[in-house]
Amino acid sequence: MKVTGSAVLHAPRDRVWAALTDPEVLVRTLPGCQQLEQVGPDYYKATVYAGVASIKGLFSGEVKLSDRIEPDSFVMHASGAGGPGTVSADVQVRLAEVDGASTRLDYDADAVIGGMIGGVGQRMLTGVAKRTAEEFFTAVDDVLLGRAELAAPAVGVPGVTGAPIEIAAEGERPVYTAPPRARPATSVATVLGSAVVGALIALAGVLIGWLIAR
Amino acid sequence: MKPPPFVYHRPDNVDEALDVLAEVASDGKILAGGQSLVPLMSMRLAAPGHLVDINGLSELGGIRIGHDGVQVGATVRHAELEGDEAAFAVQPLLRQALAYVAHPTIRNRGTSVGSLAHADPAGELTAVLALLGGTVTVRSRAAERTVPAAEFFLGPLESAVRPDELATSAYFPALPPKTGSAWTEVSRRNGDYAICGVGALVTVDDDRRIVTARLGLISVGPTPVVVDVSESLVGQRANAATFADAARLVEDTVDPEGDIHATAEYRRHLAGVLTGRALANATERALEVTT
Amino acid sequence: MTDLHTVELTVNGVPRTADVPARRLLSDFLRHDLELTGTHVGCEHGVCGACTVLVDGAPMRSCLLFAVSVNGASVTTVEGCSTATGELGPVQQAFLECHGLQCGFCTPGFVTTITAYLEQNPEPTEDEARHAIAGNLCRCTGYQNIVGSVLRAAELKREAGAAV
Amino acid sequence: MSTRDLGALGEPIARREDPRLLTGRGRYVDDFGQHALEVAFVRSPHAHARILDIDVTGALDVDGLVAIYTYDDLEERVAEPLPILIPHPALTDGRTQYALAKDEVNHVGEAVAMVVATDRYVAEDAAGLIRVDYEPLSPVVGIEAAREATELVHDDVPGNVAANMVQERGDARAAIAAAPHVIELDLAIERSASTPLEGKGVYARWDADDASLRVYSATQASTSVRSAIAAKLGLPPDRVEVIAPDVGGGFGVKIVHPWPEEILVPWAAIRLGREVKWTEDRREHFVSAAHERGQLQHVTAGFDDEGRLLGLDVRIWHDNGAYTPYGIVVPIVTSTQLLGPYKPGAYRVEFDSLYTNTVTVTPYRGAGRPQGCFAMERTMDAIAAQLGLDRTVVRERNFIQPDEMPYDHGLIFQDGRPLIYDSGDYPATLAKIKKLVGWDDFQAYREQARAEGRRVGIGLACYVEGTGVGPYEGGWVKVETDGSVVVATGLTTQGQGHQTAFAQVVASELGVPIDRVTVVTGDTRRFRYAVGTFASRAAVMSGNAVAAAARKVRQKALRIAAEALEADPGDLEILDGIVQVKGVPGASIPLSTVAVLSNPLRYAFDEEAKRATQFATAADPDKPPVAEGDEPGLEATGYYSPPRSTFANGMHAAIVETDPDTAEIKILRYCVVHDCGTLINPRIVEGQIHGGVAQGVGGALYERMVYDESGQLLNASFMDFLMPYATEVPVIETDHLQTPSPLNPLGIKGAGEAGVIPGSAVLAAAIEDAEGISITRMPISPSELHELRHAHAAPKERP
C-alpha cells in the first residue's frame, strides 16, 4: 500500500534530522521499540513490542537508512517477519524548514503487508497506522521539545520515564535499549492532512498493529 | 486456522480474575463472548499467553435498569440486551443499534461490554455509548474507575482498559423526555461491518420544535464520532425540519478512510445521507412521545 | 501449555466428556474428540455459519467457542435435530421436501439455526424466513429453497402440534 | 432405441441422498481419518520472490511434530513440475508449479514447506516457527502490468504471454470497415472464485502389506487423481484407489488435479507409514486454490441500420495467474461462447493468456462464459442504444433461427471439436422471458416509480452454453438377487443430486421402483474409467452412459426371463421390478429371480440361490451353463461418447432499483428462462439454476479478488470476500423450454453452469438502464456507482 503524510515538528531542521537518524532517539520514540542493534552504518536490527490495546507481541525486523541528503531527505527501508505476516516498507522522508523553530516532515511510503494480516486486516490497517504515526511524531516532538518526561504522567503510569537509555556493547555492535516508558499521549495537532497514514511506522513493524509474533 | 496455545484461567470471582490479570499483565486477555477474539486467535493475529474466562462470573451478569439509565454487566450478551423490554423502554437506541450488530447467532454469544472494550471503530455500541455520553466501569486489583465514553475510545481496537483491568459494566443513560432515537447504517451485506452507521438523538419542545439534535457515527474515523447538529436545527418545526445543513455539517466533520469496500469520499457522502435519515426517524419518534 | 482440561457436555441429550487442551475449538471438540462429524467447518472465522450448533438452546458458532469455555453446557448438533425415533425432524423433513440442500456441507448450520428460530417465531413470513437464515452462507442453492424449507418446517411443526 | 417407459424420469422427486446429508451422516473428507496425522503448509507471504533459505530448526522442538518437508526432500517425479493437464498448440509457454516451491515463489500462498504433526493445531504451531528467507522480486499484478511486461513472472516467458490464439470466420475486419455503423467497447470483468463451502482436502492411507494406497480427496475427478498419483509416486494404477466421498461443492476449483497436496499427502503417508490428512482452511483456499474471471475485452462491432451484426472483432486479455495447469480452456470458451445465440456476418477473436504473480486461474462455474456473455450482451445493448431500438428487437434480429439448426459457427470449441449448435429455439425463449418479466409493461412501471422518486431499470441477457463435453463417461448397472439395483459411474458428485438423477434414469430404463436403485459415483473401486464432473456434463454423459448400461441389462433380463417363461422377449415388459408377458396376468417372473438365473451356481447359500444350482435347473445338458459370448450375472457396463457438445441456452431478465442517495443496488425481480433439453428431474435443474444465479449476482454486485500492487490478496476471508447471504439474493422466477438434444438418446443438455453465465451482463444492463450511465466494468459496488455518478455528472457541472 502506498501512503503519504506529513507532520510539523517543533524544532529546526538540523535538529529534526539529527533526532530521526539517532538510534538513541528512535529507540525511545518508535512505538513499541524495545531494542535497536546496530549491525552496520545506518543499519539496525530492531525488536519491537507491537500491538494495539492488550493484543501485543514481540516482533523483530531490520531498518536501513540510505540516500542521505542531509538535512533534506533520506530513505528508510524496513522489513521483518512474524508468524502471522510480513512487513516491508520503503519510506522517503523529506524535511523542509517552516520557520526557524519548526520543520515540516513529508513522507511517502510504499509498504507491503503480507501473510495473514495482509489478507484479513485491511479494514483496520490504515486506522492503526494513523494512530501509530501520531504516536511516533508526538514522541519525537516531545524529545525535540525536551518534554519527553512530561508525556508519561499524562497517561497515569508512574515511575516509568526518565530512565536513561542503556547502551550495551555486544561485540562490536552497539545495542540501544529503550527505557521503560508509557505510551505518550498523542496530539493530533502535530499531524497534518486528512490522509496521514503512518507508513513510517512500518519500520517499527507497527503496521502489523495487532500482530503477535510469539 | 487454529488458535495458538494459551493458559486457561477460569476464576471463581472477579477478585480472582483481577489477581490473574495483575500477574500476567499484557500477556493476558479477557475471554467473554470471544466473537472477535477467537477469530483473531485462529488467524494467529493474537496470541495471548493467558485467557481469563469471565463467563462463569455471575457477579458480572445482569442488566440493571434505573430511571436514569441502563447498566449492563460484562457477561451480558448482545441478544439479552437487545431483547430486554425494560432496557428498551428506558433507552430504545440500544435495541435499535444492536439489531445491526453482525448476525443474531453472533449476538447470542458476543457481549456488549466486550465489544466496547474491543473498540472496533465499526462497532455499533461504541457510537451508542459515545452519543449517549455513557460510561464504562473498569476494575483492577488496585482500583475501580469509571471512564466516560469520550475518554474510553483511544484508537482503532484500543480502549482505555489497561492490561491489568477488567471492564465490569457499561452504563447507558436513559433517553431524555421528548426525545426520539434512531439508528441506520449501510453495509455491503446484511450483517457486515457498516460502511457507515449513524445513530441520532433528537429532542423537541412542547411546541414541537427541535431543541437538540446529536449524532453518533461509526466507520468514519478511528473511534466513534459524535456530532452535535443542534445549531443547524434548533427552533425548526420538527415535522417540517430539513436536515440538509446537518448532513453537510456531518460531512465536513468526519474524516473517514477508504478501504476495499468503499472510498473515503463515499463514506463521507453516506455519513451525510444517513444523518438525514437518522434525524428524520429520530424526530418522528420524538414527536410520537411528545404528543 | 498443553495441560488438558476435562470438558463435560450434554450433547444431543447424552452426557459426553473428553480431556482436551484449552485451545480446542468446540467445532473440533465435537467433530474430532466426540466424532460427531455432522457439524461442519467452513471458514473458522465465524462468517459462514456451517458450524452453528445450539448451546443451551441458542444458536452459536462452534468455531468461535473454546470447548472448555462452555463446559457443562447442553449442546444440540444436527445429529440431534431428528425425532426421538431417529426419523427426520421437521426442519430436516422440510429440507428434503423443498430441495433445500445440494452439497449438504452448509446444511447442518442451517438446520440448527432454523430449529432454534422456529421456537422463537413459529409462523414466520417469507421475508422473516429469509432474514432468519441470513447469517449462514450457502454456495449451492441460491437460498430460495431454504427459505421455502423454513416456511415448510413451520407448517410441519404446526401440523405435528395439532396432531398431538 | 427401445420404447422407454419414462416412469420416474422427468419427475421432480425428492433427492435420495438427502436424509443422510440432513442428519449429519454425510461423509466428507475431513470426516475420515480421525486419528490420522495432520498437515499444515508454510506458504509464501510474497507474490514473487527467490527462496534463499528455509530454516526449520525453530520448529523441531514442537511436541507432536512428525516431519517437515521442503522441496529438497522430494524424490523423483514428485520433484518434477506438476502436469499441464490440457496441452494446446497455442499454449506455447505453459508453466506449472512444483508440489513444493523450488527456488522461487510466484504467488502469495504458494506452498514452501509441509509440516506433518499429530494434529492440525500442532502442525500450525510448527509451521509458524519455520523461517524462510526470501529475496523479494518485482511482482506482476493485474492485466495491464502483465501486458506492459516491464517485469516478468517467469524469466523465460517473454511478454508474460503464455498463449496467443486467433480464431476467425470470414473477414471480420473488412466487414466492420464496410459497415454503416461501428462501435467500440472496452469491457472488464474482475476476478472471483468458486469458493465452495468445503475447501479441498486429502486423506491418504498406505497399506504396506498390500502395497496399496487409498486416497480420499474432495475432487471433481477421482479417476484422474488416481492416474496422477500413480504416475507421480511410481505406483501401478491398480494399487491406487481414489474416492471422492461427499464433496461440499466444487464449482470448478476441484476439477484441477493433481493439486500439490494430492501428491504430497499420499507421498508422506507412504514415507511415514501412517495415515495422513490435510484439510484446507479458508485462508489457504483463497490464496492457494484457484480463481477465475479476470479479463479485459475490447469489442469492435460493425452493424447495419437494422442492428444486424455484420462483423465482430474481439480482443481478449486473459489473466491466467502464476501457472497454467488447466491450459487455456477459459479463454477458448470465452472466444467461442461469446457468440451466444447470434450469428455475426464475420467474426474474429484473438486472446492473450497472460501470467501474473497471483493465484492460478482455472475454470469456475461458467468458465469464461460470463465474460463472453458480458462482452456480447453489452455490445447488443450498445447497438440498440445507438440505433434507438428496443434491446430485444436488436437481439431478435441477430438470432440464429430454429430452422438453421444445426448451426456451424466455423470455429473450434474447447473440446477440440467444431462449434456446431445442435438445437435450440431462441425466438421462443425470448418471447417467454419477455412475458415472464413483463418487458413490454416496464415503461409504465418506470414512469410510476419515477413519480415516486425511485430509479428502476430493466436488463436482459442471452446465452448459449456448450454442455456435455466429451470424451466419454461410463456406467455400470447390476441387478442383485434380491432385486435391488446398484449403479456406478466414475464421475464425481458435489451436490448435483446424481444419486437421484441417475437412479431415475436407471429405474425408468429398467422398469424398477426407484427406491430399489442405489448409485455410487467417484469411487475408482467401483468404476475405473471416467473423465470427471465439469462443463455441465454429468447428466448428459453419465446419464446416457447409465442408460446404455441399463438397456443392456434390460435386454439380458428379457432374454433370460423369456427362456424361463417360455415366451418371446418381444412380448415381455418390466413393470415395477417384475418381468411379465404383456397382457397375460400371472405369466411373470421377478427381476430378482432373473438375477438368480443369470448366474449358474454350484452352491446354494440361501433360498434364492437354490434356484440357480446345477440340480435345480432344467438346463440343456448339451450346452455350457454360460453360453458362449455371455457372462454370468445380470449386469452390464455402458459408455456414452458424443460426437461433440450439446448446446443449452437461456435468457435472464432483471429489474433493479438504485438508491438515488446511497447508490445501493437492489434487485427487484430476477427472471430466468432456460432450455436444457429433456429434464431428468426438474427440481434438481431448478436448484442448479438458483445456485448459478446466486453466484451470478455475487459476481456482479459483491464478489471480487482485490489484489494490491505487491500481489497481496487483500480480502482473503469471508469477512471481505462478499459471498451473498440470503438477503442479497433475489427471488428467482423460472420458466423452462425443453428442446431435446438430437445428439443423445435421452435428449439431455447440461444445466449446471447456466445460471451463473448472464449475471454480470443482465445486471449491468439493468443498472445502466436505471442510471443512464454506461456500465463497462463488473462487479460494481455502491461506492463505485457513486463514483460513476460523480464522474458522469462532473462534465455538466464544470463544462
Side-chain angles (χ1 to χ4, degrees):
Chain A
M1 78 181 167
K2 291 206 190 311
V3 279
T4 59
S6 55
V8 171
L9 299 166
H10 300 91
R13 186 159 63 157
D14 54 345
R15 280 197 59 214
V16 172
W17 173 276
L20 289 175
T21 54
D22 178 354
E24 288 189 32
V25 173
L26 290 176
V27 78
R28 63 192 299 166
T29 54
L30 286 170
C33 187
Q34 293 200 322
Q35 186 175 295
L36 278 180
E37 179 190 347
Q38 188 155 14
V39 290
D42 287 337
Y43 182 14
Y44 305 94
K45 290 214 153 139
T47 308
V48 177
Y49 193 56
V52 172
S54 48
I55 304 174
K56 279 178 178 288
L58 215 53
F59 170 87
S60 50
E62 57 181 48
V63 183
K64 286 180 207 169
L65 300 184
S66 71
D67 304 84
R68 296 173 60 130
I69 305 171
E70 192 173 350
D72 291 330
S73 65
F74 61 91
V75 177
M76 279 192 202
H77 311 274
S79 65
T86 62
V87 57
S88 65
D90 291 338
V91 189
Q92 168 84 44
V93 179
R94 290 180 307 280
L95 302 175
E97 297 247 359
V98 175
D99 52 48
S102 53
T103 304
R104 180 190 168 98
L105 179 152
D106 294 283
Y107 63 85
D108 261 297
D110 193 351
V112 177
I113 317 294
M116 180 69 87
I117 186 68
V120 301
Q122 280 310 304
R123 199 170 58 81
M124 219 56 80
L125 280 174
T126 47
V128 170
K130 180 174 178 174
R131 162 88 179 150
T132 317
E134 288 172 9
E135 208 172 286
F136 173 61
F137 291 129
T138 304
V140 172
D141 214 28
D142 286 345
V143 167
L144 292 168
L145 292 173
R147 65 177 185 204
E149 284 78 10
L150 300 178
V155 286
V157 179
V160 294
T161 56
I165 293 172
E166 291 174 18
I167 303 175
E170 192 179 273
E172 302 281 304
R173 302 166 172 177
V175 177
Y176 304 86
T177 307
R181 63 188 157 132
R183 198 156 206 178
T186 60
S187 157
V188 182
T190 57
V191 181
L192 294 178
S194 64
V196 175
V197 178
L200 190 64
I201 311 319
L203 89 157
V206 180
L207 271 180
I208 20 170
W210 16 306
L211 296 190
I212 287 195
R214 285 163 51 84
Chain B
M1 282 200 259
K2 304 292 182 193
F6 55 86
V7 176
Y8 178 73
H9 304 268
R10 196 179 179 96
D12 290 327
N13 52 58
V14 171
D15 287 337
E16 220 178 288
L18 297 175
D19 286 345
V20 177
L21 284 177
E23 203 173 304
V24 301
S26 58
D27 198 24
K29 276 294 284 181
I30 299 288
L31 176 64
Q35 303 298 282
S36 297
L37 177 63
V38 178
L40 281 174
M41 290 178 67
S42 286
M43 293 168 178
R44 302 206 176 206
L45 300 179
H50 298 261
L51 281 194
V52 183
D53 187 344
I54 61 167
N55 284 289
L57 302 183
S58 54
E59 46 190 313
L60 295 177
I63 301 167
R64 276 172 280 282
I65 317 283
H67 288 298
D68 57 339
V70 179
Q71 193 193 7
V72 181
T75 58
V76 172
R77 317 291 170 190
H78 293 304
E80 190 184 344
L81 182 56
E82 184 185 5
D84 193 299
E85 292 301 334
F88 179 67
V90 170
Q91 183 44 271
L93 185 58
L94 287 170
R95 181 182 293 175
Q96 289 159 358
L98 281 164
Y100 288 90
V101 176
H103 295 109
T105 306
I106 299 294
R107 301 204 288 274
N108 282 339
R109 185 69 183 179
T111 63
S112 299
V113 173
S115 83
L116 293 171
H118 186 56
D120 190 314
E124 283 79 2
L125 285 181
T126 65
V128 170
L129 191 83
L131 174 59
L132 297 175
T135 59
V136 179
T137 299
V138 296
R139 259 177 78 185
S140 70
R141 202 159 57 176
E144 178 175 280
R145 60 194 181 107
T146 295
V147 187
E151 294 164 25
F152 189 73
F153 304 108
L154 304 181
L157 300 184
E158 188 177 7
S159 67
V161 184
R162 297 184 192 129
D164 64 338
E165 286 178 328
L166 167 65
T168 53
S169 68
Y171 175 77
F172 300 91
L175 195 69
K178 297 170 198 165
T179 301
S181 66
W183 184 273
T184 185
E185 68 180 51
V186 168
S187 59
R188 288 294 276 118
R189 294 175 301 188
N190 173 50
D192 278 343
Y193 291 109
I195 290 179
C196 177
V198 180
L201 288 184
V202 174
T203 305
V204 300
D205 61 16
D206 287 333
D207 203 20
R208 302 166 71 83
R209 291 174 192 276
I210 293 173
V211 180
T212 64
R214 297 173 77 238
L215 299 150
L217 296 98
I218 55 168
S219 298
V220 288
T223 55
V225 178
V226 175
V227 188
D228 191 325
V229 294
S230 305
E231 225 170 279
S232 70
L233 287 165
V234 70
Q236 280 199 45
R237 278 272 169 210
N239 53 357
T242 60
F243 304 110
D245 289 346
R248 240 189 318 277
L249 179 60
V250 167
E251 284 183 29
D252 291 345
T253 306
V254 298
D255 182 16
E257 301 281 353
D259 72 357
I260 59 177
H261 300 304
T263 62
E265 199 279 316
Y266 177 64
R267 280 203 156 86
R268 185 189 303 280
H269 170 79
L270 275 188
V273 171
L274 298 182
T275 288
R277 291 182 182 180
L279 285 172
N281 291 343
T283 304
E284 194 175 314
R285 291 193 179 118
L287 288 178
E288 276 167 25
V289 297
T290 306
T291 46
Chain C
M1 279 282 174
T2 51
D3 286 354
L4 297 184
H5 300 258
T6 301
V7 174
E8 297 178 345
L9 300 176
T10 302
V11 182
N12 303 327
V14 181
R16 301 292 302 267
T17 181
D19 294 340
V20 297
R23 61 169 158 167
R24 181 77 90 241
L25 298 167
L26 178 61
S27 46
D28 289 335
F29 182 81
L30 293 168
R31 290 179 48 74
H32 299 302
D33 296 292
L34 303 186
E35 302 200 6
L36 285 168
T37 55
T39 299
H40 296 157
V41 172
C43 75
E44 293 182 288
H45 51 270
V47 183
C48 79
C51 69
T52 305
V53 299
L54 308 186
V55 179
D56 295 326
M60 294 185 189
R61 308 285 203 231
S62 62
C63 78
L64 296 187
L65 295 169
F66 294 114
V68 69
S69 185
V70 293
N71 194 13
S74 174
V75 173
T76 305
T77 68
V78 69
E79 288 97 337
C81 292
S82 306
T83 66
T85 53
E87 284 153 27
L88 296 182
V91 178
Q92 294 164 331
Q93 179 66 29
F95 268 70
L96 172 70
E97 291 179 18
C98 301
H99 189 27
L101 68 157
Q102 289 182 27
C103 80
F105 197 79
C106 69
T107 310
F110 278 94
V111 170
T112 50
T113 302
I114 295 165
T115 297
Y117 177 76
L118 291 177
E119 292 297 315
Q120 279 178 18
N121 183 1
E123 294 189 45
T125 63
E126 186 173 334
D127 192 50
E128 286 169 342
R130 195 169 276 272
H131 276 86
I133 59 164
N136 291 59
L137 287 173
C138 170
R139 194 56 158 170
C140 294
T141 64
Y143 303 106
Q144 191 148 322
N145 292 345
I146 302 181
V147 173
S149 301
V150 177
L151 300 175
R152 176 63 184 143
E155 221 170 74
L156 287 170
K157 282 187 67 146
R158 282 199 297 275
E159 283 167 15
V164 171
Chain D
M1 193 166 98
S2 61
T3 313
R4 286 186 291 117
D5 176 6
L6 288 177
L9 195 69
E11 292 293 321
I13 61 168
R15 300 201 318 172
R16 298 163 48 72
E17 44 272 79
D18 288 356
R20 206 167 48 75
L21 300 177
L22 280 164
T23 50
R25 287 180 290 127
R27 296 291 281 168
Y28 302 82
V29 170
D30 191 49
D31 301 342
F32 294 84
Q34 295 294 345
H35 306 288
L37 299 175
E38 293 204 77
V39 170
F41 287 93
V42 176
R43 297 185 181 277
S44 172
H46 298 285
H48 197 189
R50 231 183 301 284
I51 299 168
L52 302 178
D53 182 49
I54 303 174
D55 179 2
V56 303
T57 50
L60 297 178
D61 293 336
V62 172
D63 196 21
L65 175 72
V66 175
I68 299 173
Y69 301 114
T70 67
Y71 176 81
D72 291 339
D73 298 303
L74 305 183
E75 303 149 324
E76 298 173 23
R77 295 196 61 193
V78 178
E80 294 172 6
L82 298 175
I84 291 176
L85 289 173
I86 307 178
H88 190 286
L91 181 61
T92 50
D93 291 277
R95 295 290 181 275
T96 54
Q97 69 187 104
Y98 293 88
L100 290 170
K102 175 178 187 283
D103 304 331
E104 190 174 313
V105 287
N106 280 305
H107 66 86
V108 170
E110 189 165 348
V112 173
M114 176 190 190
V115 177
V116 187
T118 47
D119 71 25
R120 174 76 182 219
Y121 289 75
V122 174
E124 289 190 20
D125 292 345
L129 294 168
I130 293 171
R131 296 283 165 245
V132 184
D133 195 5
Y134 296 96
E135 179 195 342
L137 303 171
S138 298
V140 177
V141 182
I143 293 175
E144 288 89 349
R147 218 157 57 174
E148 282 164 22
T150 46
E151 307 288 344
L152 296 179
V153 175
H154 302 287
D155 287 343
D156 56 348
V157 181
N160 292 315
V161 179
N164 172 276
M165 185 171 167
V166 180
Q167 290 211 62
E168 184 157 23
R169 200 212 56 209
D171 188 341
R173 286 173 174 174
I176 292 166
H181 308 275
V182 176
I183 51 169
E184 295 196 44
L185 294 170
D186 280 301
L187 302 164
I189 296 276
E190 289 188 40
R191 274 192 177 210
S192 186
S194 304
T195 51
L197 258 287
E198 178 206 33
K200 294 180 284 158
V202 187
Y203 161 54
R205 23 197 239 222
W206 170 247
D207 184 334
D209 297 328
D210 191 46
S212 69
L213 179 72
R214 182 183 297 177
V215 178
Y216 293 82
S217 180
T219 180
Q220 293 175 226
S222 53
T223 47
S224 300
V225 171
R226 175 192 55 185
S227 303
I229 291 173
K232 281 285 183 189
L233 302 186
L235 295 168
D238 79 326
R239 297 284 80 196
V240 181
E241 300 165 347
V242 175
I243 298 147
D246 289 318
V247 174
F251 314 112
V253 67
K254 295 174 181 173
I255 187 61
V256 182
H257 55 271
W259 284 104
E261 299 87 358
E262 284 173 326
I263 300 300
L264 293 169
V265 170
W267 174 78
I270 294 171
R271 265 178 85 110
L272 296 169
R274 305 274 299 273
E275 296 179 22
V276 179
K277 181 167 75 173
W278 168 73
T279 305
E280 184 180 61
D281 71 26
R282 187 48 57 185
R283 197 220 170 215
E284 288 183 290
H285 189 77
F286 273 104
V287 299
S288 69
H291 301 164
E292 207 233 284
R293 301 278 197 265
Q295 259 173 217
L296 296 183
Q297 307 173 140
H298 182 84
V299 177
T300 312
F303 51 98
D304 65 16
D305 295 337
E306 305 293 305
R308 283 188 200 87
L309 265 179
L310 303 175
L312 182 66
D313 187 3
V314 182
R315 186 78 171 86
I316 297 166
W317 295 271
H318 169 79
D319 175 357
N320 65 227
Y323 302 106
T324 53
Y326 211 73
I328 49 174
V329 163
V330 172
I332 292 177
V333 170
T334 304
S335 303
T336 46
Q337 296 266 268
L338 179 151
L339 293 169
Y342 312 112
K343 43 173 185 186
Y347 177 55
R348 180 183 193 279
V349 61
E350 175 176 3
F351 71 76
D352 282 329
S353 188
L354 298 165
Y355 286 109
T356 57
N357 288 111
T358 59
V359 172
T360 293
V361 166
T362 67
Y364 157 39
R365 193 183 206 169
R369 293 177 187 87
Q371 301 95 310
C373 181
F374 185 66
M376 193 73 229
E377 295 299 306
R378 295 277 64 209
T379 302
M380 284 292 158
D381 287 342
I383 292 172
Q386 180 151 337
L387 296 177
L389 291 170
D390 184 280
R391 287 170 281 168
T392 61
V393 169
V394 171
R395 285 171 168 81
E396 197 155 25
R397 286 176 183 164
N398 284 286
F399 279 160
I400 297 161
Q401 297 300 311
D403 61 9
E404 294 177 273
M405 296 289 176
Y407 185 87
D408 188 347
H409 275 290
L411 303 171
I412 299 298
F413 192 42
Q414 63 140 322
D415 53 4
R417 305 276 168 142
L419 183 71
I420 301 173
Y421 291 179
D422 51 328
S423 63
D425 188 340
Y426 309 139
T429 314
L430 181 67
K432 254 191 196 293
I433 191 79
K434 283 179 70 174
K435 185 156 175 253
L436 184 60
V437 75
W439 183 268
D440 294 330
D441 304 328
F442 184 74
Q443 211 43 45
Y445 177 72
R446 188 205 302 277
E447 296 307 326
Q448 183 197 328
R450 195 175 281 151
E452 295 163 4
R454 298 165 52 216
R455 284 186 206 178
V456 295
I458 193 168
L460 175 111
C462 312
Y463 64 90
V464 170
E465 184 201 359
T467 69
V469 173
Y472 74 89
E473 285 297 335
W476 169 79
V477 174
K478 182 186 183 197
V479 180
E480 300 285 11
T481 53
D482 65 355
S484 65
V485 181
V486 288
V487 180
T489 186
L491 59 63
T492 60
T493 303
Q494 305 83 41
Q496 300 91 338
H498 294 157
Q499 290 168 25
T500 302
F502 298 154
Q504 283 180 271
V505 171
V506 170
S508 74
E509 290 288 347
L510 267 183
V512 298
I514 189 161
D515 59 10
R516 299 294 282 158
V517 185
T518 310
V519 177
V520 176
T521 63
D523 184 339
T524 61
R525 297 171 300 179
R526 305 296 297 277
F527 202 88
R528 289 161 182 279
Y529 293 94
V531 182
T533 300
F534 59 93
S536 306
R537 68 191 294 279
V540 180
M541 304 303 297
S542 280
N544 280 292
V546 299
R551 262 175 247 130
K552 286 190 195 170
V553 170
R554 177 189 172 90
Q555 277 173 5
K556 183 166 182 179
L558 294 180
R559 177 166 55 77
I560 294 168
E563 279 171 35
L565 296 169
E566 296 179 346
D568 186 305
D571 294 337
L572 299 180
E573 61 185 357
I574 309 177
L575 288 174
D576 220 16
I578 296 169
V579 190
Q580 60 182 58
V581 182
K582 283 179 214 164
V584 185
S588 67
I589 179 169
L591 266 185
S592 55
T593 307
V594 177
V596 170
L597 297 176
S598 73
N599 182 20
L601 293 173
R602 183 173 178 84
Y603 309 114
F605 40 84
D606 62 13
E607 282 302 313
E608 280 298 316
K610 273 186 191 170
R611 300 185 60 165
T613 51
Q614 54 204 6
F615 300 108
T617 55
D620 185 339
D622 294 329
K623 287 185 184 166
V626 177
E628 203 167 316
D630 202 0
E631 288 170 359
L634 190 49
E635 65 173 273
T637 300
Y639 288 89
Y640 174 65
S641 182
R644 56 185 178 271
S645 298
T646 174
F647 289 81
N649 73 282
M651 298 178 194
H652 292 197
I655 297 176
V656 304
E657 175 166 0
T658 55
D659 188 304
D661 299 316
T662 63
E664 288 171 287
I665 301 158
K666 186 174 165 55
I667 303 170
L668 300 180
R669 289 187 63 203
Y670 199 103
C671 301
V672 176
V673 174
H674 182 243
D675 185 348
C676 61
T678 308
L679 301 179
I680 299 174
N681 183 324
R683 185 188 307 211
I684 288 175
V685 171
E686 188 134 316
Q688 289 291 317
I689 289 168
H690 289 173
V693 167
Q695 285 178 324
V697 168
L701 302 181
Y702 296 98
E703 299 167 8
R704 49 161 51 111
M705 293 292 172
V706 186
Y707 277 97
D708 71 8
E709 291 171 352
S710 59
Q712 298 293 336
L713 181 60
L714 300 182
N715 60 337
S717 81
F718 277 163
M719 282 182 294
D720 289 319
F721 179 81
L722 305 175
M723 192 191 289
Y725 287 107
T727 34
E728 284 69 53
V729 178
V731 172
I732 301 154
E733 303 164 54
T734 51
D735 197 357
H736 295 278
L737 268 80
Q738 293 197 41
T739 310
S741 170
L743 297 183
N744 65 74
L746 296 178
I748 301 170
K749 300 178 179 184
E753 296 172 277
V756 78
I757 295 169
S760 282
V762 71
L763 290 171
I767 294 165
E768 180 172 295
D769 188 45
E771 293 281 325
I773 301 172
S774 170
I775 306 291
T776 57
R777 298 184 66 89
M778 293 295 270
I780 184 166
S781 68
S783 182
E784 287 161 326
L785 178 57
H786 175 75
E787 273 187 88
L788 277 181
R789 284 176 177 175
H790 271 249
H792 195 66
K796 287 175 203 156
E797 285 165 7
R798 288 185 288 271

